[in-house]
Amino acid sequence: MPVREGKQLWTLIIDREFQDLIRPLFKNEYLQLEANIMADGCREPISVWNDVIVDGHNRYKICTEHGVPFAVEEKTFSCREEAIAWICANQLGRRNLTEESRKYLIGKQYESEKIISRRQAIYQGSSEDLEKLPYEPFNPDEDRRIVPSKKRTGERIAEENHISHGTVEKYSVYTRAIEEIRKKEPQMATKILSGRYKISHKGVLDLAGRSQEEIRNLNMRLEKSQYPFAKYQTTRREIQGTAPNTNTRPDQNRQPSIKDMPVFDPDAEVVGLTLTIPSWSSSIDRIVHSNLDNVSEGARVKLCNALIELQDAIETMISVIKEEV
């Protein structure tokens, strides 16, 4: 794609729907990106379509705030949905996506490409009135749709993301549910996709069918929680309307002492495993960037076999989690 000649402070357009597809950076990530740009300049060009940013929102914000010139890369799309599909596919190649964001992006890409295919079928390649076909309305009772004419698109996206065609369709329903939640309470949708509020697939569909007031009240209750992240059992209890009575006696709300029997936490083992994974990633990254010339062949073979077994175990765990969610 052509890159505009020279770096400068270009004035670009931010489209809210496009921006919502980009994973928000955590504070430490944003500060690190800011420090890198201030030290080395903006190395990567910002991708645009007709002056609308499709990739590089955070870089654009930092550069404009600090007066750092940047390059611009021109993208060419035939319509808005094609731009959305590209953004989703591009984001799916990023690291550190939450599972919620991944599901949403896969579903969004599928929904966008279906619109493109539907237009091509209806208009047979004509560009007349291409922007008038809307998204299909969200149906909270619908958990899966089979659209034979769109199966090829679903299968391709499934192969690209190493999932089944049925899972792609399931994610498309999830995406439309998130969109419905975003219309009523944007903050709730953002917190779900960031992983701050852990809500199951069924819970998201249920929540999407609730009124704006109900969703806002749920968001406020979760926001007032003493924990920075709301776990599955917490959100499930809140959505089902079985939250514990807050009008309890003071002694019922006291913190447990060391003599109290610990309450069983079904998340404990999973959370423990989650906390150990960064250390694995750190060790692997350290070895990848080290000098392996002096490592014996036997040690390499053993490590390779162990990593293959770990990869199989990870794929099995991901499959189990997806089925449960």
Side-chain angles (χ1 to χ4, degrees), residues 177-189:
I178 290 291
E179 295 289 347
E180 192 71 16
I181 294 171
R182 178 175 278 133
K183 292 177 186 176
K184 300 171 182 177
E185 181 63 13
Q187 288 186 3
M188 174 64 80

Side-chain angles (χ1 to χ4, degrees), residues 158-190:
E159 290 175 1
E160 291 172 353
N161 294 280
H162 309 291
I163 55 178
S164 69
H165 176 227
T167 300
V168 172
E169 292 178 340
K170 180 179 179 180
Y171 288 175
S172 75
V173 178
Y174 180 88
T175 295
R176 289 186 290 121
I178 290 291
E179 295 289 347
E180 192 71 16
I181 294 171
R182 178 175 278 133
K183 292 177 186 176
K184 300 171 182 177
E185 181 63 13
Q187 288 186 3
M188 174 64 80
T190 300

Side-chain angles (χ1 to χ4, degrees), residues 229-244:
F229 296 92
K231 297 181 288 187
Y232 282 114
Q233 66 264 33
T234 302
T235 58
R236 186 183 304 118
R237 184 175 63 239
E238 291 285 356
I239 292 173
Q240 292 174 349
T242 56

Side-chain angles (χ1 to χ4, degrees), residues 28-98:
N28 62 324
E29 293 175 320
Y30 185 87
L31 292 176
Q32 183 61 59
L33 177 61
E34 185 177 40
N36 292 343
I37 290 176
M38 294 299 293
D40 305 320
C42 188
R43 294 182 174 181
E44 295 183 34
I46 294 173
S47 301
V48 301
W49 173 50
N50 297 330
D51 281 338
V52 178
I53 301 175
V54 293
D55 184 55
H57 291 80
N58 291 303
R59 280 174 280 138
Y60 179 69
K61 180 180 178 182
I62 293 170
C63 288
T64 53
E65 285 181 350
H66 296 283
V68 179
F70 56 89
V72 169
E73 179 185 39
E74 302 276 2
K75 296 288 184 182
T76 303
F77 304 113
S78 62
C79 61
R80 184 177 183 84
E81 283 70 34
E82 188 176 334
I84 290 174
W86 181 88
I87 294 172
C88 292
N90 188 51
Q91 286 297 305
L92 285 166
R94 306 283 189 186
R95 298 177 61 184
N96 302 325
L97 277 180
T98 65

